[in-house]
Amino acid sequence: EAQVTQNPRYLITVTGKKLTVTCSQNMNHEYMSWYRQDPGLGLRQIYYSMNVEVTDKGDVPEGYKVSRKEKRNFPLILESPSPNQTSLYFCASMGRATENSYNSPLHFGNGTRLTVT
Amino acid sequence: AQKITQTQPGMFVQEKEAVTLDCTYDTSDQSYGLFWYKQPSSGEMIFLIYQGSYDEQNATEGRYSLNFQKARKSANLVISASQLGDSAMYFCAMREPTYSGGGADGLTFGKGTHLIIQP
């Protein structure tokens, strides 16, 4: 089954304790991305990756790191989490657009609810 | 300026009625894609329907259809014969060419519409 798998689903941690949220996709997608979702703010992109070893900042990258050593994996790292990073996080992947066609949807993982106290 | 605007933060609709969720978008590109996603209270993001900018016909997927008006830059989602299980957040999103931003070949999302279907 084609899917994006992210873990854990729920995570409660304390300020300053480094954590990693894992993300893996089995669709051979080149594009992967991390979003955070907050009430009233919708989905905001944190980082994205166009291919292995190619990553770039999204709209809200501060306080986050990513890496793309393999095509299928795109972990999100919070080196020193703070309470304002309490949020619902989504990993997603997407197939390449072809000329004049963008019909490959973004496939989402099930989300990680992070609470930083 | 927002690239995707969803003007209805919340909607209440009677079961079995049709629902139209509004979405307007802003792009200067001729080639782009428009998507709708559903997010139930359980949190997952479910892809519903896609419309390409060059598609001449409105997209349909079961009870979902997309009312695409290119000149007005609107891509409204229509749900026919609404059901209680349609209660959820709905997000409109756009994919543009790589050079236009949106996370370089990613999707830009609207802030969503919270739809509640009443029995």
Side-chain angles (χ1 to χ4, degrees):
Chain A
E1 180 190 353
Q3 60 185 3
V4 177
T5 304
Q6 62 179 103
N7 284 296
R9 289 294 306 276
Y10 300 92
L11 181 57
I12 301 173
T13 189
V14 296
T15 299
K17 186 175 181 181
K18 179 179 179 179
L19 66 91
T20 299
V21 185
T22 63
C23 176
S24 179
Q25 52 95 4
N26 63 1
M27 293 166 280
N28 202 36
H29 286 161
E30 292 177 344
Y31 180 93
M32 296 186 75
S33 181
W34 277 100
Y35 291 86
R36 62 177 288 175
Q37 184 180 20
D38 303 288
L41 298 177
L43 283 147
R44 296 180 293 169
Q45 191 177 51
I46 303 170
Y47 269 94
Y48 63 93
S49 171
M50 299 289 282
N51 212 329
V52 175
E53 302 291 1
V54 180
T55 63
D56 211 339
K57 297 176 180 179
D59 299 319
V60 288
E62 292 78 21
Y64 305 95
K65 285 176 58 177
V66 293
S67 68
R68 189 89 182 274
K69 293 185 173 59
E70 307 165 281
K71 197 171 188 179
R72 62 183 292 125
N73 295 324
F74 191 45
L76 179 70
I77 303 155
L78 283 72
E79 294 271 3
S80 183
S82 62
N84 65 12
Q85 293 178 298
T86 293
S87 186
L88 176 59
Y89 290 86
F90 287 101
C91 179
S93 72
M94 184 165 63
R96 180 183 291 198
T98 58
E99 186 176 347
N100 297 331
S101 176
Y102 298 86
N103 62 355
S104 176
L106 201 58
H107 297 260
F108 285 87
N110 284 334
T112 296
R113 290 192 183 273
L114 172 65
T115 302
V116 184
T117 61
Chain B
Q2 287 187 25
K3 281 186 173 271
I4 298 286
T5 303
Q6 295 181 252
T7 57
Q8 307 149 310
M11 286 182 72
F12 287 90
V13 173
Q14 288 296 121
E15 190 180 8
K16 298 179 185 167
E17 289 183 354
V19 181
T20 297
L21 304 180
D22 295 339
C23 173
T24 57
Y25 59 91
D26 181 25
T27 182
S28 57
D29 290 298
Q30 296 301 307
S31 184
Y32 51 89
L34 297 157
F35 301 81
W36 277 92
Y37 285 83
K38 173 183 179 181
Q39 186 180 36
S41 58
S42 51
E44 70 268 28
M45 293 288 286
I46 302 168
F47 164 66
L48 294 178
I49 196 167
Y50 164 83
Q51 179 83 41
S53 59
Y54 293 114
D55 295 340
E56 294 185 352
Q57 293 196 326
N58 289 339
T60 60
E61 290 287 348
R63 292 186 301 111
Y64 303 108
S65 61
L66 203 151
N67 184 1
F68 181 47
Q69 298 187 42
K70 194 170 182 177
R72 298 176 65 178
K73 294 187 176 177
S74 75
N76 298 338
L77 177 70
V78 180
I79 306 174
S80 63
S82 58
Q83 302 171 355
L84 297 178
D86 293 332
S87 294
M89 283 290 290
Y90 288 82
F91 292 95
C92 179
M94 177 171 62
R95 184 176 185 181
E96 298 173 277
T98 302
Y99 54 84
S100 296
D105 200 32
L107 265 65
T108 304
F109 286 84
K111 289 190 168 28
T113 296
H114 189 189
L115 175 64
I116 298 173
I117 307 298
Q118 296 175 310

